[in-house]
Amino acid sequence: MLVAVISRSHFNGLESLRVGRFQKKINTSCIVYRLGDLVVDAGPPNQWKYVQRFLKERAISRLLITHHHEDHCGNGAKIGKHFNCPVHAHPAAHKDLEQGFAVQWYRRMVWGKPERFKAEDFQPQNMTSQSGDFSLQPLHSPGHSPDMTCFIEPQRGWLFSGDVYVASRPRFLTEDENPGQEIESLRNLLKQDFQTLFCSHKGMVENGPAAIKSKLEYLLELQGEAQRLYQTGLASREISRQLLGKEEFLSLLSRGHFNKVNMIRALVHDCPVSQLHHR
């Protein structure tokens, strides 16, 4: 049974809308953030009517996309047209946004499939709200995707982290993710001056640096142990069973696109699984 998730929250002038097609779990709902007339992420395409209603409440000057995945860019085309505002994304996202990208069936079921649109590069000089109350700085943070970009609000010590942090101890990975890159991005984030983290799925995390540090330490420990076991001759699937447990229904549902062994393979070889000949 499909149960729509629609909830709103406010925090020191920041407004957010959580939308999703299924019951309220962090991996099946996504958050659109609004800072005055600036909007971070567009929400999934199958939730457009709720996103549109939320955004119609006040003028929008520009939309900032953290990365090209459908739950984040999904309504970018509609927002740009309906509100006559520019849509910005990292250059690494432009081709996928304009020409389209593969969306596996299980992701289409949860989020829908986005329309294509043309995005502009981030323009740091134009990332301040018209009121002057908010100002965002883009920070390229690849790993989850090549174009993944976080945004820092330096006056308030806020970090909008997209999908860099969704959980401290992730066990599943898609074939396209690069945890080696993500480790470097997490290290870079810890050099930044912020306190509160706003995740696109988990929501507000009050001690953001501690959350980022926890995930970094977990990935480094998991990588070290996975590489040690790999050197003993164990296959990736056996290492995955030992360190992360048996595969779950999600692996079957995604036909192996999102599973535990992807995490182990990518950490062992320090590259996305899509670039490997599976052992």
Side-chain angles (χ1 to χ4, degrees), residues 39-42 61-70 72-77 80 85-99 101 115-124 126-127 136-141 145-151:
V39 176
V40 176
D41 277 343
S61 65
R62 61 192 69 248
L63 169 64
L64 310 174
I65 301 292
T66 59
H67 60 298
H68 74 277
H69 291 166
E70 64 281 357
H72 299 262
C73 78
N75 296 304
C85 70
V87 182
H88 300 274
H90 189 274
H94 290 188
K95 182 178 179 180
D96 286 325
L97 294 175
E98 189 169 358
Q99 299 182 14
F101 56 94
E115 296 179 20
R116 302 175 186 182
F117 63 93
K118 188 172 183 178
E120 303 177 14
D121 291 352
F122 295 120
Q123 300 172 0
N126 292 326
M127 292 176 63
L136 295 176
Q137 299 175 356
L139 184 63
H140 188 213
S141 305
S145 65
D147 57 316
M148 181 70 237
T149 302
C150 297
F151 301 103

Side-chain angles (χ1 to χ4, degrees), residues 229-230 232-241 261 264-265 279:
L229 291 173
Y230 187 78
T232 69
L234 286 183
S236 297
R237 289 193 180 277
E238 178 57 31
I239 298 171
S240 177
R241 281 192 290 269
V261 73
I264 297 302
R265 286 175 174 149
R279 174 178 172 178

Side-chain angles (χ1 to χ4, degrees), residues 69-277:
H69 291 166
E70 64 281 357
D71 47 333
H72 299 262
C73 78
N75 296 304
K78 287 186 171 68
I79 291 173
K81 293 175 185 176
H82 189 88
F83 296 98
N84 192 29
C85 70
V87 182
H88 300 274
H90 189 274
H94 290 188
K95 182 178 179 180
D96 286 325
L97 294 175
E98 189 169 358
Q99 299 182 14
F101 56 94
V103 181
Q104 290 74 22
W105 78 272
Y106 74 99
R107 291 164 56 179
R108 292 198 302 271
M109 178 181 67
V110 175
W111 308 117
K113 188 171 182 178
E115 296 179 20
R116 302 175 186 182
F117 63 93
K118 188 172 183 178
E120 303 177 14
D121 291 352
F122 295 120
Q123 300 172 0
Q125 69 276 16
N126 292 326
M127 292 176 63
T128 298
S129 64
Q130 293 178 352
S131 67
D133 293 337
F134 302 100
S135 183
L136 295 176
Q137 299 175 356
L139 184 63
H140 188 213
S141 305
H144 175 73
S145 65
D147 57 316
M148 181 70 237
T149 302
C150 297
F151 301 103
I152 290 180
E153 212 300 337
Q155 300 176 75
R156 290 169 170 77
W158 293 350
L159 173 71
F160 294 88
S161 60
D163 281 358
V164 171
Y165 175 84
V166 178
S168 294
R169 300 176 65 85
R171 297 179 300 145
F172 296 83
L173 200 74
T174 70
E175 294 179 347
D176 307 315
E177 293 180 76
N178 189 330
Q181 279 190 341
E182 188 163 57
I183 285 170
E184 293 308 310
S185 292
L186 292 169
R187 284 176 170 146
N188 188 37
L189 287 176
L190 287 175
K191 298 176 184 177
Q192 310 305 314
D193 186 13
F194 71 96
Q195 182 58 34
T196 306
L197 181 152
F198 293 94
C199 171
S200 294
H201 297 280
K202 196 174 184 68
M204 186 175 75
V205 179
E206 291 187 357
N207 192 340
I212 295 293
K213 183 180 179 183
S214 177
K215 181 174 182 179
L216 173 61
E217 291 176 346
Y218 164 78
L219 288 177
L220 288 172
E221 181 180 355
L222 182 62
Q223 183 178 47
E225 189 63 12
Q227 290 179 343
R228 183 188 69 80
L229 291 173
Y230 187 78
Q231 292 301 318
T232 69
L234 286 183
S236 297
R237 289 193 180 277
E238 178 57 31
I239 298 171
S240 177
R241 281 192 290 269
Q242 287 193 26
L243 299 182
L244 300 175
K246 294 181 180 180
E247 291 288 357
E248 299 175 21
F249 179 69
L250 190 55
S251 174
L252 180 63
L253 182 68
S254 68
R255 298 173 183 171
H257 182 261
F258 186 57
N259 64 18
K260 296 178 181 180
V261 73
N262 286 342
M263 174 72 81
I264 297 302
R265 286 175 174 149
L267 285 171
V268 165
H269 298 284
D270 201 21
C271 70
V273 171
S274 58
Q275 298 178 11
L276 295 174
H277 295 292

